[in-house]
Amino acid sequence: MYLFVNGQVIKEEEAALSPFDHGYMYGVGLFETFRLYEGHPFLLDDHFRRLSKGLASLSIDWKMEKEQVLDALQALSDANGIKNAYVRWNVSAGIGPLGLYTDTYSKPTTIVYMKPIPEEMGTEKTGILLKLRRNSPEGVDRLKSHHYLNNLLAKREIGNDPTREGIFLSEKGYLAEGIVSNLFWIKGDTVYTPDTDTGILNGITRQFILALCKKNQIPFEIGCYSVEALLEADGAFLTNSIQEVVKLTEFDGQAFKKEQPFIEWLQQQYKLFRHSLWSKSEL
């Protein structure tokens, strides 16, 4: 694998990180994961808008123009010889003194990872109610940060089966999100999803799905819901930027209806836009 590290494309074995990088020492860093579809980075503008806002909140002085980002992705795509890819764009604070640092980080570390991915992935999963609760965000909002221990422990709880996804409850007992996904369900003609007030990540694909609902005048509600709301649903699905829209066949041992035309419609809509859209605002 070739990586993009601070402006250069290098082999993975040549990559190095300072032991004083605060992304390693204290978890001060953020990342975005997204896909290339035949070279097109789907919803790139939305991902980098979120990344830039989050980095600013951490006092990490980082900026790249869109043209620079696209050049980096093209160079990395060419080096790895792939056009359909998983991309992780990682920005950490960079080198700092030993101890908690309160000033602005002016020399962050940028690392971009890219690996091949099949254009079509699994479209169904089983939902498992986790015993472990979703931890509260470190700050006001949930950032896509290096603090991933809560997710890792949840993954260990359910194991490595790729057809299973753990569903978190918030610390207050409300439905929250999956280990690596946002959660939606359908009851009647209305789509439901937990509010970010539950401490979930406001996923880019989550935002795209809500924008699709708004554009097509599909009723949706955002709020704080108990487990019963999901158990009584007609159907449910998960979203993230790598796996797209994934239907839940069951939750906590209770099966949903096999026929889910709305979820199938969403999956088709995703395919329609994924080779061309830069932002949900283009809808």
Side-chain angles (χ1 to χ4, degrees), residues 84-210:
N84 292 297
Y86 163 106
V87 180
R88 172 173 167 142
W89 193 289
N90 199 91
V91 181
S92 67
I95 297 172
L98 189 61
L100 299 181
Y101 187 69
T102 59
D103 291 337
T104 298
Y105 293 98
S106 59
K107 295 182 179 179
T109 301
T110 300
I111 302 177
V112 186
Y113 309 80
M114 183 179 290
K115 67 179 181 179
I117 194 169
E119 187 166 349
E120 301 299 333
M121 302 181 70
T123 58
E124 295 184 354
K125 287 194 176 187
T126 298
I128 309 296
L129 181 62
L130 291 164
K131 296 177 183 177
L132 182 68
R133 295 294 176 98
R134 189 62 166 124
N135 63 344
S136 296
E138 290 83 7
V140 176
D141 300 312
R142 175 80 61 187
L143 300 177
K144 199 170 178 68
S145 76
H146 293 183
H147 297 270
Y148 244 58
L149 186 58
N150 190 226
N151 306 68
L152 175 60
L153 293 176
K155 184 64 175 175
R156 288 180 176 178
E157 182 180 323
I158 68 167
N160 288 322
D161 187 342
T163 66
R164 292 155 55 98
E165 172 69 317
I167 305 298
F168 280 113
L169 298 182
S170 72
E171 291 178 334
K172 293 182 179 180
Y174 295 120
L175 288 165
E177 59 188 342
I179 298 173
V180 292
S181 60
N182 284 124
L183 172 66
F184 292 80
W185 63 93
I186 307 146
K187 183 68 174 177
D189 63 352
T190 303
V191 178
Y192 297 83
T193 193
D195 197 297
T196 54
D197 287 346
T198 60
I200 66 172
L201 179 73
N202 189 11
I204 297 302
T205 306
R206 174 184 184 272
Q207 296 175 46
F208 175 67
I209 295 303
L210 293 175

Side-chain angles (χ1 to χ4, degrees), residues 233-283:
D234 298 324
F237 61 97
L238 306 166
T239 63
N240 73 24
S241 296
I242 303 302
Q243 299 171 20
E244 304 178 352
V245 179
V246 178
K247 180 171 69 173
L248 279 183
T249 57
E250 64 178 73
F251 170 66
D252 208 28
Q254 182 167 309
F256 295 111
K257 295 178 181 178
K258 289 187 177 181
E259 298 299 322
Q260 294 292 337
F262 175 71
I263 298 175
E264 294 167 4
W265 176 82
L266 277 180
Q267 291 169 337
Q268 291 303 314
Q269 286 291 299
Y270 205 100
K271 289 181 179 180
L272 181 65
F273 290 110
R274 66 188 184 183
H275 288 87
S276 59
L277 221 61
W278 296 95
S279 170
K280 66 181 182 299
S281 63
E282 296 175 49
L283 289 173

